[in-house]
Amino acid sequence: MTMKYTGKVVLVTGASRGIGRKIAEQFGLQGAKVVVNYSSNSHQAEEVVSAIKKKGGEASAVQADISRVSEINKLFKSVLDIYGQLDILVNNAGVMVTKPIEQMTEEDFDRMFDINVKGTYFACQQAVQHMKANGRIINFSTSVVGAMFPQYSAYAGTKGAVEQFTRQLAKEFGPRQININAVAPGPVGTELFMQGKSEDQIRQMSSLNAFGRLGETGDISDVVLFLASEEARWITGQTLRINGGFV
């Protein structure tokens, strides 16, 4: 495998499982030094670090709750203390609550906006202060923004915000030679996605794209690594829908 990220330091938020874990592991395989951020499950985060190291990579786990700006600031300080630089930020951490609007609570609403919107925004704020030229920021949206699913209104609202400030920040970060983009996955067969869904529901979700299957974590990580590469140097302010033709 090409070691195209040798010498690069990558921070992946919410990297202890699912898509975030796959992204972290793929960067590690390609030579990057990876910071595996997690909120609460230190055991899972250390498993990711161990998996990267077993394949010859370098990684460290750092706890931080990105819904709190003070913890975001500490996270970035830890990255710099450990590795002395930051080249790539992947804002993968997020939470989804799906309910009819009548059942949505203020706590549900605030939790999603705190993590998905505030967390992503202030991580971008920290990143741009510490990255040098050719830095890369990849934010996470969702293909649900392009669909009209019942019970997804608040969640889609958070990701719509992420897409919009990704566009706006592109011209703010461009003079510093930092690219910022977003990816918007469709349904992906992670453990989190599968929880609480019947076989019929999973089959129905699989049928909504052109290929008749759920996405895989590698389908997403491959695009994230592309956006972090030199080959994507002329792409910024964009949202790429990675969904097999879902929408």
Side-chain angles (χ1 to χ4, degrees), residues 56-104:
E58 187 172 347
S60 302
V62 178
Q63 190 278 332
D65 175 359
I66 69 155
S67 70
R68 300 172 60 189
V69 174
S70 61
E71 297 222 359
I72 293 171
N73 296 345
K74 287 195 297 183
L75 170 61
F76 279 81
K77 183 178 184 304
S78 295
V79 173
L80 297 174
D81 287 346
I82 296 168
Y83 293 120
Q85 67 188 69
L86 175 66
D87 303 285
I88 300 162
L89 167 65
V90 181
N91 277 312
N92 165 77
V95 64
M96 178 173 66
V97 179
T98 57
K99 293 179 179 179
I101 190 169
E102 297 90 347
Q103 297 175 19
M104 187 66 66

Side-chain angles (χ1 to χ4, degrees), residues 32-245:
K33 299 173 183 177
V34 184
V35 178
V36 176
N37 162 251
Y38 68 98
S39 177
S40 57
N41 197 321
S42 60
H43 177 71
Q44 284 185 324
E46 290 297 343
E47 282 184 349
V48 181
V49 169
S50 178
I52 292 170
K53 289 182 175 179
K54 282 180 180 177
K55 293 183 178 179
E58 187 172 347
S60 302
V62 178
Q63 190 278 332
D65 175 359
I66 69 155
S67 70
R68 300 172 60 189
V69 174
S70 61
E71 297 222 359
I72 293 171
N73 296 345
K74 287 195 297 183
L75 170 61
F76 279 81
K77 183 178 184 304
S78 295
V79 173
L80 297 174
D81 287 346
I82 296 168
Y83 293 120
Q85 67 188 69
L86 175 66
D87 303 285
I88 300 162
L89 167 65
V90 181
N91 277 312
N92 165 77
V95 64
M96 178 173 66
V97 179
T98 57
K99 293 179 179 179
I101 190 169
E102 297 90 347
Q103 297 175 19
M104 187 66 66
T105 67
E106 183 178 7
E107 182 182 9
D108 294 330
F109 187 94
D110 287 348
R111 181 166 176 255
M112 281 194 287
F113 272 84
D114 283 349
I115 295 173
N116 299 356
V117 181
K118 184 171 73 173
T120 298
Y121 188 87
F122 283 97
C124 290
Q125 181 191 69
Q126 281 293 304
V128 75
Q129 295 178 67
H130 301 298
M131 285 180 173
K132 296 180 180 178
N134 300 315
R136 298 285 191 269
I137 300 172
I138 298 100
N139 296 327
F140 263 72
S141 180
T142 173
S143 287
V144 173
V145 170
M148 290 186 290
F149 278 2
Q151 304 185 18
Y152 281 75
S153 58
Y155 174 66
T158 68
K159 296 304 188 174
V162 169
E163 291 190 13
Q164 188 58 36
F165 66 64
T166 297
R167 283 191 288 270
Q168 299 297 328
L169 290 174
K171 288 192 175 180
E172 191 168 334
F173 292 177
R176 307 187 196 200
Q177 305 303 306
I178 293 171
N179 297 55
I180 179 169
N181 292 289
V183 294
V188 177
T190 61
E191 179 184 347
L192 190 63
F193 174 82
M194 296 293 191
Q195 283 178 358
K197 291 184 175 66
S198 67
E199 288 187 13
D200 283 345
Q201 287 175 312
I202 292 169
R203 191 160 40 244
Q204 194 267 338
M205 293 293 279
S206 301
S207 72
L208 295 176
N209 63 64
F211 300 107
R213 68 168 175 86
L214 290 177
E216 299 174 356
T217 56
D219 296 327
I220 313 306
S221 65
D222 284 350
V223 178
V224 170
L225 267 71
F226 165 70
L227 288 173
S229 72
E230 177 61 19
E231 288 83 354
R233 62 190 174 276
W234 199 234
I235 303 173
T236 196
Q238 306 304 308
T239 297
L240 299 187
R241 291 179 177 170
I242 318 169
N243 58 33

